[in-house]
Amino acid sequence: MSQRFVVIPAAGRAGGAGPRPEGGGSQRPSPLRAAEPAPAAPAAPAAPEAPRVDALPILRYCREPSRYGDGNPRENSPFINHSEMEQESFCEGKNMALFEEEMDSNPMVSSLLNKLANYTNLSQGVVEHEEHEEDGKRREVKSPRMGTFIGVYLPCLQNILGVILFLRLTWIVGAAGVLESFLIVFMCCTCTMLTAISMSAIATNGVVPAGGSYYMISRSLGPEFGGAVGLCFYLGTTFAGAMYILGTIEIFLTYISPSAAIIQAETAEGEATAMLHNMRVYGTCTLVLMAMVVFVGVKYVNKLALVFLACVVLSILAIYAGVIKTAFDPPDVPVCLLGNRTLSRRGFDLCAKVHTANNGTTPTALWRLFCNNSMSSASCDEYFAQNNVTEIQGIPGVASGVLLDNLWSTYADKGAFVERKGMPSVPVPEESRASGLPYVLTDIMTYFTMLVGIYFPSVTGIMAGSNRSGDLRDAQKSIPTGTILAIVTTSFIYLSCIVLFGACIEGVILRDKFGEALQGKLVIGMLAWPSPWVIVIGSFFSTCGAGLQSLTGAPRLLQAIARDGIIPFLQVFGHGKANGEPTWALLLTALICETGILIASLDSVAPILSMFFLMCYMFVNLACAVQTLLRTPNWRPRFRYYHWALSFLGMSLCLALMFICSWYYALFAMLIAGCIYKYIEYRGAEKEWGDGIRGLSLNAARYALLRVEHGPPHTKNWRPQVLVMLNLDEEQRVKHPRLLSLTTQLKAGKGLTIVGSVLEGTYLDKHAEAQRAEENIRSLMGTERTKGFCQLVVSSNLRDGMSHLIQSAGLGGMRHNTVLMAWPGSWKQEDNTSSWKNFVETVRDTTAAQQALLVAKNVDLFPQNQERFSDGDIDVWWVVHDGGLLMLLPFLLRQHKVWRKCRMRIFTVAQVDDNSIQMKKDLQVFLYHLRISAEVEVVEMVENDISAFTYEKTLMMEQRSQMLKQMQLSKTEREREAQLIHDRNTAAHSVVATRTQAPSTPDKVQMTWTKEKLIAEKYKNKEPGVSGFKDLFSLKPNQSNIRRMHTAVKLNGVVLSKSQGAQLVLLNMPGPPKNRQGDENYMEFLEVLTEGLDRVLLVRGSGREVVTIYS
């Protein structure tokens, strides 16, 4: 029995609110009425109220869902809705109480399945836009009902069969012969078939929204490849529109109405140029008209699509009917030959030199074309005089055996005569080809690779089905079936047409591109039955429709790319009219299409769009091959008949066809795609689409990591792989941003960079702060252009966290070998003793891990990446050799623009027993072999007695250390002590200036704590712990500390004298003492060593050699 529970919040009861009424049964209140206030309930008789407890924990969840789970909602999903209404539905049952704390982020399976069942993949196409335009509001779109035949097969058929079939296929067969033409068509059809197999695998691997090839490539290969190939596909579609418009104008001006030409040729040589100008004029007008039709309403294009398809089908049927008819009744298509040369029938009707009538002969129009007058004694063209005129049938029929004559290729140069093999011809020596003679000449040079480029656009259009994926009833079934069937059908039509054309039509007619020997009639039209006009009109309307569809599809493709946001400068083309029509994209498409029309030659435009389509198909095959080889868990296509080898073969064939068609066009197309790829990579928006290139990168990274796991790199390959230790403030912001600037200048994007930091606390409590800190660090890395990884650790204390980072940062062989950190500037503050303790322990950790350590002192004074040093020195003080890192760091820094103009100087220290002259020579030779240019100077440090200043400084250091350990001073007294020592240090600087004139002795030193001061403090505080204190005045400094301080003071004096004006000083960093009791003294030594220097980089090598003189 269904039950309902009502839980009244305690706050509501305390406020006097009565219980909320609830209807009986299991009905739920309507969601639309959920927000309405409930009507007041009738008063109920009073009853003793028992103590109220929540009946079930799940009810507490329903009341306060935010108290359960981890409190952080997970990634949003189109199938997961976190609305209160659905949370209430989750809470109705008692049986799932075990999972109540997960229900705020994980829905019940029943809810998920319900949403999946109601999910519909609606098209983003033009139909909805038109309905929006008509009704004034967007209608509710019905479920798509297009099947395989209407939705995929017929659109592919219409796009594949087009202008090349009607205008150029006969000419290709005549020039290349039946065998080579068969090879051309077979290669192109094989390429598209392999591409269709790969496309089917991708299209059936999940739901493909309307977007076609661009969506598939971008989601499979990533935004860089997707944007580059998507734009190439857009350019190909746009130039295809130009090709179809040029084909439409060629049919109109050549075969329908030649008299409509605006520009007339004055001479025979100018006919080709005049034709190109007419194509440009008519083509531009046609483009403007088509663009206006697309702008006004695409619904008219969609309604005319069936008419255009009918034209294509009727034209194909007319061709086959004409071929069958030639078997028993060949058409009468006379062709006039002079010798073996084909003559153009545009200037004469009778194919004879003279006409016999009334027992006399009269010269014909052909005679007057070759001779200067109509008399028999006239001076005629020599070839005309020595060769006979014959007339043959242009279409002898399929049973004539002409197939054997057309098997082989007949390539020719530009301007060559179209000659018939086997006809008698008397050659004329040194013939000067007179202009105006009615010969049929070749307009361009023909060869195999050029014909491949011209033919390939006739097999494009296989993406028409995938572009309509949003309108299909079952896209995963319809796209493979319809596309492959359409390719099989069109391949059969093309291959059979090649054989039938070669078997039915005379070779000279096949090579006559514009039908000049047929009085300007379309060659394929003369073969068709019942009338040539079936082909002429059908091809005219089909090419016109194909041009309209290109102008319809290309702007939407550009709009899809622009709305993805991967190419910033294209975002303006994502906008359009109120109903979503891509107005700006249509304008750009028309402008690009106009450039193709200005070329004005169908044979020149076809190879251009072949490049772009071939590149698109190549990457479709690459996407399928990559996904198959990676075997990603999400790669589960329903289409099973694919293999990575087929995809790889298709990709190779596409690449080969690109260079076969035109190697310079191929390089140009690849250059365009490469520039777009790099632009998206550099400036484009970051997108994560789960693409195959990301998976490929992971696999390649895994392989490379396994390869470098075996051991440390060779000295020649060594470079600093840096772990940068950042400190954060209370708001999780980076304290020293210049540390990342130094990292960028040192690394310049090469090698490994890990930016690490530690948050103190527990991970569960600090999870949100850790995310915020990581975002801040990543943002700063982007600002400073630091290329690397961010790794943040939450630890119970900073010391352990830093140790964990040093031990575990990196992966496999990609681990850091150098730690970069800032000098703890506040280490002298008595309330911050942990800073110097953590610092010293980090130094010990890096030494134990055999890692180099770089400590930047005064890091806030280091230059930013935008600064440039126009002059200055980088001084290296090479005191001890610990691997040569001191030599390498200045070289790496000078590769960056900040330090490029700085000079490198190397100082080394000579002792009393050293030969400083020989040391300088040896160092110069060493640097020469290292290929490092630097000035060399040897500084002699003469041993002298320990000065009073050094003794006093050591004594002050030990006094302070002893007092802090034994007196346990309060905070106020610590501040007073720190101030006294600070005053003493200030006074000590005056000693430096006067110690050469009046050196003082240790027993004359005025100590900070005198006996009187100590007694006064003892009687003032009267603390029991102080009474047993040692007499600080009787302290004597440790001899080891005196020697260390002496070294620090002397070396600091030498460095200041030589490098005080240097832009950067690199100095060997001495190691910490083995006895941990002297850690504070160690910090003092380092402070004295670097005192007075602006920018210091303390360097402690790992002990292994990092530079070598060998190649």
Side-chain angles (χ1 to χ4, degrees):
M1 185 178 75
S2 175
Q3 293 181 348
R4 299 279 303 208
F5 293 91
V6 181
V7 180
I8 301 174
R13 294 197 306 273
R20 182 168 48 175
E22 187 71 25
S26 60
Q27 293 182 348
R28 294 176 52 193
S30 170
L32 299 177
R33 300 176 58 87
E36 297 179 4
E49 184 175 358
R52 297 201 52 160
V53 293
D54 290 333
L56 288 171
I58 192 169
L59 301 179
R60 290 198 301 274
Y61 163 73
C62 296
R63 187 175 61 205
E64 298 177 289
S66 62
R67 289 180 55 190
Y68 300 92
D70 56 6
N72 297 306
R74 301 185 186 176
E75 183 181 1
N76 292 331
S77 167
F79 308 123
I80 300 176
N81 192 342
H82 301 292
S83 66
E84 295 179 359
M85 181 180 67
E86 289 171 357
Q87 286 178 355
E88 182 182 353
S89 68
F90 295 157
C91 302
E92 284 187 350
K94 306 182 292 186
N95 299 327
M96 293 295 127
L98 182 62
F99 299 96
E100 62 181 16
E101 295 185 358
E102 300 178 15
M103 289 182 184
D104 56 345
S105 56
N106 298 335
M108 296 288 291
V109 174
S110 58
S111 174
L112 175 64
L113 293 178
N114 182 44
K115 292 188 176 299
L116 283 172
N118 294 330
Y119 175 73
T120 56
N121 177 24
L122 300 180
S123 171
Q124 305 279 329
V126 298
V127 180
E128 294 81 355
H129 297 320
E130 294 302 331
E131 290 176 348
H132 176 96
E133 197 173 55
E134 290 176 357
D135 301 340
K137 61 181 180 179
R138 190 176 300 277
R139 294 179 181 175
E140 182 180 356
V141 184
K142 297 180 180 179
S143 298
R145 290 296 178 185
M146 296 177 67
T148 302
F149 186 76
I150 298 295
V152 180
Y153 180 76
L154 290 182
C156 287
L157 207 67
Q158 182 182 359
N159 279 267
I160 295 174
L161 299 173
V163 61
I164 301 296
L165 171 64
F166 301 117
L167 296 184
R168 292 292 183 268
L169 191 58
T170 54
W171 172 69
I172 291 174
V173 174
V178 173
L179 295 180
E180 292 188 20
S181 301
F182 198 91
L183 178 61
I184 291 173
V185 175
F186 182 78
M187 278 198 310
C188 295
C189 291
T190 303
C191 175
T192 54
M193 177 60 77
L194 294 174
T195 304
I197 292 173
S198 300
M199 183 193 70
S200 299
I202 297 174
T204 58
N205 186 50
V207 179
V208 178
S213 58
Y214 163 69
Y215 184 92
M216 290 189 294
I217 295 173
S218 61
R219 270 59 179 180
S220 297
L221 291 180
E224 295 87 1
F225 278 109
V229 181
L231 278 182
C232 286
F233 190 56
Y234 162 74
L235 292 174
T237 307
T238 305
F239 275 100
M243 185 188 72
Y244 292 134
I245 292 175
L246 291 175
T248 303
I249 303 306
E250 182 177 317
I251 293 171
F252 177 73
L253 291 179
T254 307
Y255 306 115
I256 296 179
S257 179
S259 60
I262 298 175
I263 302 172
Q264 301 291 337
E266 298 178 357
T267 60
E269 288 84 359
E271 288 183 359
T273 305
M275 182 64 178
L276 293 179
H277 290 322
N278 285 315
M279 298 274 282
R280 294 185 179 103
V281 173
Y282 276 97
T284 303
C285 296
T286 306
L287 173 62
V288 172
L289 183 62
M290 287 184 175
M292 290 177 62
V293 171
V294 174
F295 178 77
V296 170
V298 186
K299 61 181 179 181
Y300 303 113
V301 180
N302 293 335
K303 290 177 180 178
L304 291 174
L306 193 59
V307 177
F308 299 144
L309 177 62
C311 293
V312 174
V313 174
L314 289 176
S315 301
I316 298 295
L317 294 177
I319 293 172
Y320 281 108
V323 170
I324 294 173
K325 181 177 176 294
T326 61
F328 53 87
D329 185 15
D332 183 22
V333 184
V335 178
C336 188
L337 299 177
L338 176 62
N340 63 352
R341 299 175 183 176
T342 310
L343 297 180
S344 173
R345 296 292 285 264
R346 293 180 184 271
F348 64 95
D349 293 327
L350 184 62
C351 183
K353 292 183 179 181
V354 294
H355 174 61
T356 304
N358 298 327
N359 295 325
T361 58
T362 57
T364 61
L366 182 61
W367 177 282
R368 289 190 289 272
L369 290 173
F370 282 91
C371 302
N372 56 3
N373 57 55
S374 58
M375 302 299 292
S376 59
S377 60
S379 174
C380 297
D381 181 76
E382 187 175 358
Y383 188 84
F384 178 78
Q386 296 189 16
N387 288 275
N388 295 325
V389 176
T390 55
E391 190 174 64
I392 62 173
Q393 282 298 318
I395 304 180
V398 72
S400 63
V402 74
L403 176 64
L404 296 176
D405 298 331
N406 294 330
L407 282 178
W408 309 107
S409 61
T410 311
Y411 299 121
D413 294 330
K414 181 179 179 180
F417 297 108
V418 176
E419 299 175 341
R420 185 176 187 269
K421 298 176 183 178
M423 291 293 291
S425 174
V426 179
V428 177
E430 298 181 4
E431 176 188 8
S432 60
R433 298 179 180 179
S435 61
L437 298 181
Y439 290 121
V440 178
L441 304 176
T442 57
D443 63 332
I444 58 174
M445 185 173 67
T446 55
Y447 45 92
F448 179 82
T449 57
M450 184 209 61
L451 296 180
V452 174
I454 292 177
Y455 172 76
F456 187 81
S458 65
V459 297
T460 59
I462 63 173
M463 300 289 185
S466 63
N467 290 341
R468 298 174 180 231
S469 57
D471 301 323
L472 300 175
R473 185 185 307 118
D474 186 359
Q476 298 191 1
K477 177 182 177 183
S478 298
I479 289 177
T481 307
T483 305
I484 292 175
L485 282 179
I487 293 175
V488 170
T489 304
T490 53
S491 300
F492 172 77
I493 291 173
Y494 281 125
L495 293 173
S496 61
C497 283
I498 285 174
V499 177
L500 295 176
F501 290 163
C504 295
I505 307 176
E506 188 64 50
V508 290
I509 301 301
L510 291 172
R511 293 190 294 278
D512 184 5
K513 183 187 292 186
F514 301 107
E516 296 179 39
L518 305 178
Q519 297 180 336
K521 296 178 182 177
L522 185 61
V523 175
I524 198 172
M526 301 302 294
L527 177 64
W529 180 86
S531 170
W533 286 102
V534 175
I535 298 294
V536 173
I537 301 300
S539 60
F540 177 80
F541 281 110
S542 68
T543 52
C544 184
L548 276 173
Q549 289 183 343
S550 295
L551 288 179
T552 303
R556 281 166 178 76
L557 180 59
L558 180 62
Q559 187 182 43
I561 298 173
R563 286 182 173 176
D564 261 346
I566 57 176
I567 305 178
F569 70 84
L570 288 182
Q571 289 183 356
V572 65
F573 299 107
H575 308 295
K577 293 194 291 186
N579 62 352
E581 286 293 315
T583 308
W584 293 106
L586 176 62
L587 180 62
L588 179 64
T589 302
L591 292 176
I592 297 175
C593 193
E594 176 64 19
T595 61
I597 289 174
L598 292 178
I599 297 175
S601 172
L602 186 68
D603 302 324
S604 300
V605 174
I608 297 176
L609 64 101
S610 294
M611 292 300 112
F612 293 123
F613 278 120
L614 278 168
M615 183 167 292
C616 178
Y617 296 165
M618 179 177 70
F619 280 100
V620 169
N621 286 293
L622 174 62
C624 181
V626 166
Q627 296 279 24
T628 306
L629 289 174
L630 288 179
R631 297 175 181 172
T632 53
N634 192 51
W635 180 247
R636 303 183 300 273
R638 290 187 180 275
F639 181 77
R640 298 295 182 185
Y641 307 101
Y642 70 93
H643 194 270
W644 67 267
L646 293 178
S647 301
F648 187 78
L649 179 61
M651 182 183 67
S652 304
L653 190 55
C654 288
L655 185 63
L657 284 175
M658 285 178 66
F659 284 92
I660 285 174
C661 294
S662 174
W663 63 270
Y664 44 90
Y665 278 169
L667 291 178
F668 183 69
M670 291 175 130
L671 178 63
I672 291 177
C675 292
I676 298 170
Y677 178 93
K678 296 305 292 183
Y679 177 81
I680 296 174
E681 185 181 52
Y682 180 68
R683 292 291 303 274
E686 290 290 334
K687 297 287 182 181
E688 179 55 58
W689 289 329
D691 50 87
I693 292 299
R694 297 293 187 273
L696 189 63
S697 301
L698 288 174
N699 267 17
R702 170 186 166 276
Y703 176 77
L705 285 173
L706 291 175
R707 288 289 303 272
V708 300
E709 176 72 16
H710 298 300
H714 192 272
T715 303
K716 292 185 289 185
N717 297 326
W718 194 95
R719 65 169 60 246
Q721 319 286 6
V722 181
L723 169 63
V724 187
M725 307 288 277
L726 294 180
N727 295 324
L728 304 176
D729 59 16
E730 294 178 354
E731 297 181 355
Q732 283 76 47
R733 292 193 179 95
V734 179
K735 286 185 179 179
H736 303 294
R738 299 289 180 92
L739 205 59
L740 286 182
S741 302
L742 176 62
T743 305
T744 303
Q745 296 157 21
L746 182 64
K747 299 289 294 177
K750 304 296 190 298
L752 175 68
T753 301
I754 302 174
V755 180
S757 186
V758 180
L759 276 183
E760 197 168 4
T762 60
Y763 184 70
L764 290 179
D765 296 335
K766 296 287 185 177
H767 178 64
E769 288 87 343
Q771 286 186 330
R772 186 164 63 251
E774 193 166 344
E775 290 174 2
N776 292 338
I777 293 175
R778 290 186 189 279
S779 175
L780 183 62
M781 289 173 66
T783 303
E784 299 292 342
R785 296 183 179 178
T786 304
K787 297 180 180 179
F789 308 98
C790 176
Q791 188 164 348
L792 193 135
V793 172
V794 180
S795 178
S796 57
N797 58 75
L798 295 178
R799 166 73 191 94
D800 291 343
M802 297 176 75
S803 178
H804 293 161
L805 273 178
I806 292 174
Q807 295 177 59
S808 61
L811 179 64
M814 283 296 285
R815 294 178 51 81
H816 62 278
N817 53 29
T818 305
V819 177
L820 172 62
M821 59 190 304
W823 172 263
S826 59
W827 73 272
K828 287 189 176 182
Q829 296 178 7
E830 306 307 330
D831 57 348
N832 192 21
T833 57
S834 61
S835 64
W836 63 265
K837 291 181 179 178
N838 290 338
F839 175 80
V840 177
E841 291 301 323
T842 303
V843 176
R844 289 194 173 99
D845 287 344
T846 56
T847 305
Q850 295 184 343
Q851 295 173 3
L853 177 65
L854 309 179
V855 179
K857 190 177 179 188
N858 302 327
V859 68
D860 294 329
L861 299 179
F862 276 65
Q864 291 181 326
N865 294 325
Q866 294 78 20
E867 298 181 33
R868 302 286 184 271
F869 286 135
S870 59
D871 194 14
D873 299 311
I874 300 177
D875 287 356
V876 178
W877 284 86
W878 192 19
V879 181
V880 295
H881 178 67
D882 52 3
L885 185 58
L886 273 171
M887 307 291 184
L888 191 61
L889 290 177
F891 172 78
L892 295 176
L893 284 174
R894 292 179 67 216
Q895 308 301 311
H896 197 271
K897 295 178 182 179
V898 174
W899 307 93
R900 187 164 295 167
K901 294 184 179 180
C902 293
R903 297 176 300 273
M904 179 178 171
R905 300 191 303 180
I906 297 182
F907 298 90
T908 188
V909 177
Q911 301 296 325
V912 177
D913 299 334
D914 296 330
N915 185 343
S916 58
I917 299 176
Q918 187 62 37
M919 281 180 63
K920 184 174 182 179
K921 291 181 180 178
D922 294 341
L923 184 55
Q924 288 174 338
V925 172
F926 180 60
L927 291 177
Y928 175 79
H929 288 302
L930 287 178
R931 291 88 64 200
I932 295 177
S933 58
E935 298 179 16
V936 176
E937 186 171 346
V938 177
V939 178
E940 296 182 358
M941 287 188 66
V942 181
E943 281 194 17
N944 52 9
D945 295 335
I946 296 175
S947 65
F949 172 76
T950 302
Y951 189 89
E952 179 190 5
K953 205 165 185 64
T954 309
L955 186 60
M956 287 161 45
M957 176 185 72
E958 293 194 359
Q959 277 182 338
R960 178 175 179 274
S961 178
Q962 287 292 334
M963 284 190 302
L964 292 181
K965 288 178 182 178
Q966 299 182 18
M967 289 179 61
Q968 300 294 324
L969 297 177
S970 65
K971 183 177 180 181
T972 306
E973 292 164 333
R974 289 186 190 184
E975 292 175 356
R976 186 187 306 125
E977 170 61 10
Q979 183 62 40
L980 290 172
I981 294 181
H982 177 266
D983 295 342
R984 186 63 207 152
N985 286 339
T986 305
H989 283 290
S990 60
V991 181
V992 178
T994 59
R995 59 186 173 182
T996 54
Q997 289 86 4
S1000 58
T1001 56
D1003 34 338
K1004 294 182 182 179
V1005 173
Q1006 175 67 36
M1007 303 304 302
T1008 303
W1009 282 79
T1010 61
K1011 206 169 190 180
E1012 293 76 9
K1013 285 185 182 181
L1014 181 58
I1015 295 172
E1017 285 293 323
K1018 286 166 63 177
Y1019 285 102
K1020 180 180 178 181
N1021 293 318
K1022 295 186 180 231
E1023 295 181 2
V1026 180
S1027 58
F1029 223 96
K1030 287 184 179 180
D1031 190 355
L1032 294 177
F1033 191 75
S1034 63
L1035 277 179
K1036 290 186 179 180
N1038 183 281
Q1039 292 299 319
S1040 175
N1041 288 339
I1042 294 177
R1043 290 197 306 272
R1044 292 171 185 269
M1045 183 64 75
H1046 176 69
T1047 304
V1049 170
K1050 289 287 293 181
L1051 194 55
N1052 176 254
V1054 173
V1055 172
L1056 281 177
S1057 64
K1058 298 288 185 179
S1059 302
Q1060 193 165 16
Q1063 302 290 5
L1064 179 64
V1065 176
L1066 285 85
L1067 191 63
N1068 277 118
M1069 179 179 177
K1074 295 180 180 180
N1075 183 8
R1076 296 176 184 269
Q1077 300 298 324
D1079 286 354
E1080 191 176 12
N1081 299 339
Y1082 173 69
M1083 298 296 294
E1084 188 72 40
F1085 295 147
L1086 294 181
E1087 188 73 55
V1088 171
L1089 180 63
T1090 58
E1091 191 175 6
L1093 298 173
D1094 290 337
R1095 302 184 193 92
V1096 183
L1097 191 62
L1098 294 171
V1099 180
R1100 180 164 175 77
S1102 61
R1104 62 160 296 170
E1105 293 293 334
V1106 299
V1107 291
T1108 178
I1109 64 175
Y1110 300 104
S1111 61

